[in-house]
Amino acid sequence: MWLYAKSMTPIPLILDCDPGHDDALAMILAAHNPALKLLGITTVSGNGGIAKVTLNARRVATLANINVPIAEGSGKSILGAFEEASDIHGESALDGAELPQPVMELSSLHAVDLIAKLVRENSEPVTLVATGPLTNIALFLKMYPNLKTNISEIVFMGGSASRGNRTPYAEFNIWMDPEAADVVLRSGLPLTMCGLDVTHQALVTPEIFARLEKMATPVSKTIIGLLKFFAKTYDEVFEMPDPPLHDPVAIALLIDRSVVKSRFANVQIELNGNLTRGATVVDIYNRLGEKANCNVALELDFDQFWELMLQAIGKIDATK
Ligand code: RIB
Ligand code: CA
């Protein structure tokens, strides 16, 4: 079990994502909380193709005044697979509201090389947060093994200690690139997994929508449009009228570890199962007798989570 001191200096982090509605809110929380220092954003295909999610990252950064380097990453999984989640996120991968044209340029570096550059340049070890398939993170670990000592932790939204969402047993991010997830789980680095068990508690309830409506700012109105779309598709596909805002949970726990309750356990990736490929096998009761390798977040402090999320949204206009 890794013990985490509440750090007084802002935690340096890089966010690798596939915006995506919940990724967009994760970007906002990562950029607008004083406990964190967002060094850069990298993109990976998942909710949409790489061009779509990269354009979305730049448009959300423009909307939310997030001025950090943004680099495009892998368009396919390590084995070359690719599928969009347009049934949830729509054709643009971020449907539901008009987003500004991007003002920030795209980095000329590939995502993996931007991660390496930012890690090298930072005097302190850097936290990697992944809210999409783990392809870029796995490639970084393989291409820059000498930089592993500069990584303090990898926090990823993905997997589940129970059922899946892309297949009955596999969650979308892990299912998209199980080999990449396997590289991360075997890396030996401090890991925290925010799977569906905890993220399905981060619901956008009518009360949360009411608090967003009360903000009545151009940004909050755009976010409401995005989340209303997300709520509609989640209800249609998963019969969940209050959609789960998965990705910001991985950011919130960095701000305050007490936002989640987690269990240190052995987590392995099923690579070969006909019906279970991409499942995260979370051995909560250590039945396999394997070494624990990952903090698995299982419970969410709903009120604390939403305080952090709504505070960050409220801060955006003040930074403009
Ligand atoms: O299964 C949920 C995850 O898949 C979230 O990260 C969502 O953005 C999609 O990428
Ligand atoms: Ca995502």
Side-chain angles (χ1 to χ4, degrees):
M1 168 70 78
W2 294 289
L3 297 176
Y4 299 96
K6 207 173 168 73
S7 82
M8 301 312 281
T9 51
I11 298 170
L13 75 112
I14 297 167
L15 174 59
D16 187 70
C17 55
D18 60 336
H21 293 72
D22 47 338
D23 303 78
L25 276 291
M27 286 175 59
I28 290 170
L29 184 54
H32 293 295
N33 184 287
L36 304 176
K37 183 169 184 289
L38 180 60
L39 302 177
I41 293 168
T42 52
T43 61
V44 62
S45 65
N47 289 326
I50 193 64
K52 287 182 186 176
V53 299
T54 305
L55 175 59
N56 290 341
R58 294 170 63 210
R59 297 179 82 171
V60 171
T62 303
L63 172 80
N65 202 26
I66 301 172
N67 300 301
V68 298
I70 299 175
E72 181 176 286
S74 308
K76 292 199 170 121
S77 73
I78 286 178
L79 295 188
F82 166 64
E83 180 188 283
E84 293 192 338
S86 47
D87 58 338
I88 297 291
H89 297 274
E91 262 322 293
S92 73
L94 192 53
D95 283 8
E98 193 50 46
L99 293 172
Q101 286 308 314
V103 295
M104 50 280 298
E105 290 308 309
L106 190 60
S107 165
S108 57
L109 294 175
H110 184 280
V112 175
D113 298 321
L114 179 64
I115 292 171
K117 176 175 183 291
L118 294 171
V119 167
R120 266 203 206 95
E121 287 171 354
N122 208 66
S123 54
E124 295 298 311
V126 174
T127 296
L128 302 182
V129 181
T131 61
L134 288 164
T135 315
N136 292 337
I137 306 300
L139 292 175
F140 166 73
L141 294 173
K142 288 294 181 193
M143 288 168 61
Y144 295 95
N146 57 320
L147 291 180
K148 268 177 77 170
T149 50
N150 302 53
I151 302 299
S152 48
E153 180 184 12
I154 299 175
V155 182
F156 63 96
M157 190 279 136
S160 161
S162 46
R163 301 297 295 260
N165 60 4
R166 177 58 192 78
T167 70
Y169 283 94
E171 178 278 328
F172 178 79
N173 287 339
I174 308 301
W175 174 85
M176 182 65 90
D177 198 339
E179 280 69 26
D182 190 51
V183 166
V184 172
L185 266 300
R186 293 176 187 275
S187 67
L189 285 169
L191 303 174
T192 298
M193 168 179 146
C194 294
L196 298 178
D197 321 277
V198 68
T199 66
H200 275 179
Q201 299 170 46
L203 300 178
V204 191
T205 62
E207 294 73 27
I208 297 299
F209 272 114
R211 290 176 67 182
L212 281 165
E213 299 280 358
K214 255 177 90 179
M215 286 184 174
T217 65
V219 172
S220 62
K221 287 187 185 125
T222 302
I223 290 171
I224 288 167
L226 294 173
L227 293 182
K228 289 280 185 205
F229 178 90
F230 193 50
K232 180 171 167 297
T233 56
Y234 243 93
D235 199 16
E236 285 163 1
V237 175
F238 292 110
E239 299 168 22
M240 291 176 77
D242 298 345
L245 204 66
H246 305 280
D247 296 336
V249 175
I251 303 290
L253 69 86
L254 283 177
I255 298 167
D256 187 335
R257 293 278 165 172
S258 67
V259 169
V260 299
K261 283 197 175 68
S262 53
R263 192 85 186 242
F264 194 48
N266 178 262
V267 179
Q268 298 182 61
I269 307 297
E270 175 55 65
L271 298 174
N272 304 305
N274 290 339
L275 300 174
T276 56
R277 176 168 157 77
T280 45
V281 180
V282 181
D283 192 358
I284 293 277
Y285 303 110
N286 196 21
R287 304 302 289 161
L288 300 174
E290 300 282 349
K291 191 166 167 290
N293 59 347
C294 187
N295 276 313
V296 180
L298 294 167
E299 275 178 63
L300 180 74
D301 182 324
F302 177 90
D303 292 339
Q304 205 181 352
F305 169 74
W306 278 110
E307 275 316 305
L308 293 173
M309 190 68 253
L310 295 172
Q311 257 173 24
I313 294 168
K315 282 212 173 101
I316 295 169
D317 289 296
T319 63
K320 290 196 170 185

